[in-house]
Amino acid sequence: FWRGIGEWRRRQADRGRVAEFIRMHPFLNPLAFRGWFDQIRFDRLTVLVDLTEPKETRHRNYTKGTRYSLRLAQKSLTMRPLEVGEGELFRTLYEAGLARNKAQDDYFFRLDHFETLLAVDWADVRVAELGGEAIAVACFLHSGCFAHYHLSGGTVHARKKFAHHLLLEDAINRYAAAGQRWMHLGGGRGSGLSDSLLLFKTRFSPRRIAFYTGGIIFDRDAYGRLTRDRKGKFLSYRFQPTPDLKDEDVTLRPASAGDFAFFFRLKCDVDNIVWSGHTKPPIWLGLQDWYDRNLRIESRSIFIGTCGARRVGYVYLDDHGATLEMTLGVATSEAGRGVGRRL
């Protein structure tokens, strides 16, 4: 692999390419790629279903509302696989969901993309029907021990009839019976933990897994000219610049349970993982349990650092009686701005 990365860099540089954006499989440990990629960033949380769990165990993790929605859907809807030649129906239902969510142009595909998915043996497409009329579609990909929730969409009736609850539950049961080990549901439309699509997916599993992106720079001079040394996101010249915080005051306030999502994101920064002596990203449920316990420890105070309108770091203050010990962490996106010193 490493020889291949070196050859890939040389080949792309010879072709005049500037940089490449990378999406990393969430089962890969990003720390293994430090020094090989020019940037590795935690992007968002995604949801993972353990298909080896008994159905009864999995259902106990569903919310009461999810179980109720599934019962209603099962009473009014039927499902069937889409066949080769039904790509137009696939696209129509998929685009109905895009239109409702005001999706960007990047999410629209040509008809042959849908026909291809119907023809290959590693994709599985199902529709939910109401009185014989197709109202929702979901496409799943599978290989080896993995299944992946890929594309879905539906009419306004799909939401009212909980069609996607039924399509997802059906896929989970089918892949579990087929011997797949994991189903990756993906994340939300954005990186926020209040994203409605992410919240929908969390109804089916309490497991979260970190999704990282990376970048390789082939021509550093050209990349520097394009970005003008702006930090933050990879290919930063495509985005609005992040406001400079050098003139903003840093404020510390006591941490609360509502700060955990930010704390988790910060703990997933590759630099912070290495600095704190760990060898892999934290696990959501384990870190959440640790965070909740530490908020209640009398000898430890946890503070969140803010700068302007942004949360930029954390501080632990441990009271050992005769001494006070301070530990701090700064978000990678704010590194090099003097935030740690001000914290």
Side-chain angles (χ1 to χ4, degrees):
F1 177 80
W2 306 127
R3 288 196 300 272
I5 287 291
E7 174 64 18
W8 181 253
R9 283 181 177 272
R10 186 196 63 76
R11 186 181 302 176
Q12 298 309 312
D14 289 346
R15 291 174 176 174
R17 305 282 165 78
V18 175
E20 177 180 17
F21 177 77
I22 298 164
R23 292 179 175 87
M24 298 181 67
H25 191 291
F27 270 50
L28 293 176
N29 185 347
L31 270 67
F33 298 86
R34 289 185 80 233
W36 294 95
F37 295 164
D38 294 291
Q39 188 186 85
I40 302 173
R41 288 290 171 88
F42 171 74
D43 184 82
R44 67 191 67 191
L45 271 180
T46 58
V47 180
L48 189 69
V49 180
D50 183 350
L51 296 177
T52 65
E53 284 186 337
K55 185 176 180 179
E56 297 75 18
T57 301
R58 182 162 42 80
H59 277 202
R60 282 198 293 270
N61 289 323
Y62 289 3
T63 64
K64 183 178 180 181
T66 299
R67 292 192 291 268
Y68 175 73
S69 299
L70 283 170
R71 288 195 296 271
L72 289 181
Q74 289 164 347
K75 290 178 180 178
S76 61
L77 301 177
T78 58
M79 286 181 296
R80 68 173 179 88
L82 272 187
E83 304 292 343
V84 174
E86 293 189 283
E88 187 59 54
L89 175 58
F90 187 178
R91 181 169 71 170
T92 298
L93 290 171
Y94 171 68
E95 291 185 353
L98 295 185
R100 189 170 60 252
N101 292 303
K102 299 181 174 60
Q104 298 176 352
D105 292 345
D106 292 348
Y107 290 94
F108 290 82
F109 305 110
R110 299 185 314 186
L111 178 60
D112 60 356
H113 181 76
F114 299 95
E115 291 290 1
T116 297
L117 287 171
L118 291 174
V120 296
D121 60 4
W122 41 262
D124 180 22
V125 186
R126 304 273 167 146
V127 291
E129 295 182 332
L130 177 64
E133 178 187 356
I135 63 170
V137 66
C139 174
F140 303 88
L141 313 180
H142 55 91
S143 178
C145 65
F146 289 103
H148 181 77
Y149 188 21
H150 183 43
L151 299 177
S152 66
T155 68
V156 66
H157 298 295
R159 189 168 187 176
K160 294 178 179 178
K161 295 296 183 179
F162 305 107
H164 287 101
H165 286 72
L166 189 60
L167 287 166
L168 189 51
E169 171 72 357
D170 174 70
I172 290 171
N173 291 334
R174 281 188 291 105
Y175 285 121
Q180 258 77 31
R181 176 70 174 82
W182 301 103
M183 176 176 276
H184 186 235
L185 303 186
R189 298 179 185 90
S191 60
L193 293 184
S194 60
D195 182 281
S196 60
L197 179 58
L198 176 65
L199 293 177
F200 167 72
K201 293 173 179 178
T202 60
R203 296 173 188 172
F204 293 86
S205 175
R207 296 178 182 273
R208 313 285 193 274
I209 189 168
F211 168 60
Y212 285 80
T213 60
I216 300 177
I217 300 172
F218 306 119
D219 186 334
R220 296 192 179 279
D221 291 339
Y223 186 82
R225 289 194 299 271
L226 285 167
T227 61
R228 299 175 185 176
D229 296 322
R230 280 159 48 181
K231 297 184 178 181
K233 294 182 178 180
F234 194 68
L235 308 181
S236 59
Y237 51 86
R238 293 185 176 185
F239 306 97
Q240 291 294 324
T242 303
D244 193 343
L245 299 177
K246 66 181 181 180
D247 296 325
E248 297 279 356
D249 290 333
V250 172
T251 302
L252 287 174
R253 61 167 175 77
S256 68
D259 291 310
F260 175 70
F262 163 77
F263 184 79
F264 180 85
R265 173 176 287 274
L266 194 147
K267 284 290 190 179
C268 284
D269 282 347
V270 171
D271 292 342
N272 282 323
I273 296 172
V274 174
W275 175 83
S276 56
H278 294 285
T279 58
K280 58 185 179 180
I283 297 173
W284 171 269
L285 292 177
L287 187 61
Q288 187 173 45
D289 181 62
W290 179 94
Y291 183 81
D292 290 341
R293 289 199 319 271
N294 276 260
L295 285 182
R296 299 191 296 269
I297 295 176
E298 290 186 5
S299 60
R300 164 167 283 184
S301 300
I302 303 178
F303 299 92
I304 300 297
T306 62
C307 193
R310 300 212 296 269
R311 289 176 289 190
V312 295
Y314 67 86
V315 172
Y316 307 148
L317 191 64
D318 292 304
D319 185 351
H320 299 300
T323 60
L324 293 174
E325 180 182 0
M326 184 185 71
T327 307
L328 65 85
V330 179
T332 297
S333 58
E334 313 302 338
R337 300 170 184 258
V339 172
R341 184 171 59 254
R342 284 179 282 166
L343 278 176

